[in-house]
Amino acid sequence: MEAVLRVVPVLGETTWSFLRRVAAAYGLKAPDLAGGWRSASQMQRKDRGRADGEVLLDTVAQEQLAGWCRVPAGHLARALPSWAAGPPALAGRDRDGRGWMRWRAGALEWGPVVFGCGLCAARRGAGGGRV
């Protein structure tokens, strides 16, 4: 990734939705961006395509995502409902410095969540970048 872009989260957005928007800003898909992280679980086939599909991130992955979008991790913690659940759910796994992630169904754990739509993100974003 050459250029560093600023991507702003939508309040209540899922971390997975936000990760997808960050990846799109770099011309990538979310699995490409998160490809260096290890997965503690697999997304179930029945959950593919769920609007509330969610991913929990450990602190290493959270810091990487914060760096990629140029938004401090503290701001992401306030905007993304599942942010605080990641480190405890993945505690003890980051011994080698690689990030970890775990799949969840967001609404089952955090109540109503939003999948950041392109128009909402464009309205809140900084300028004419891709959404």
Side-chain angles (χ1 to χ4, degrees):
M1 293 184 291
E2 294 178 16
V4 178
L5 305 172
R6 181 165 164 71
V7 181
V8 180
V10 176
L11 186 63
E13 182 176 11
T14 65
T15 303
W16 179 241
S17 167
F18 182 64
L19 180 64
R20 288 178 55 163
R21 292 193 305 106
V22 172
Y26 286 102
L28 302 169
K29 295 187 183 289
D32 298 330
L33 194 61
W37 298 335
R38 294 184 182 168
S39 182
S41 65
Q42 297 296 318
M43 181 182 282
Q44 300 295 315
R45 182 174 294 263
K46 65 183 174 94
D47 292 335
R48 292 184 199 275
R50 284 181 67 135
D52 69 337
E54 182 59 298
V55 64
L56 302 179
L57 304 176
D58 73 349
T59 54
V60 172
Q62 287 178 348
E63 288 300 322
Q64 288 175 326
L65 181 56
W68 293 332
C69 68
R70 296 183 60 189
V71 174
H75 294 336
L76 296 177
R78 287 189 293 278
L80 307 173
S82 70
W83 193 262
L90 295 160
R93 294 185 184 259
D94 61 352
R95 293 184 191 108
D96 63 357
R98 285 182 63 190
W100 280 85
M101 63 184 187
R102 176 180 301 232
W103 290 100
R104 289 283 187 253
L108 299 177
E109 297 201 29
W110 299 282
V113 293
V114 252
F115 194 81
C117 77
L119 293 174
C120 297
R123 198 171 340 153
R124 293 183 47 106
R130 273 194 284 175
V131 177

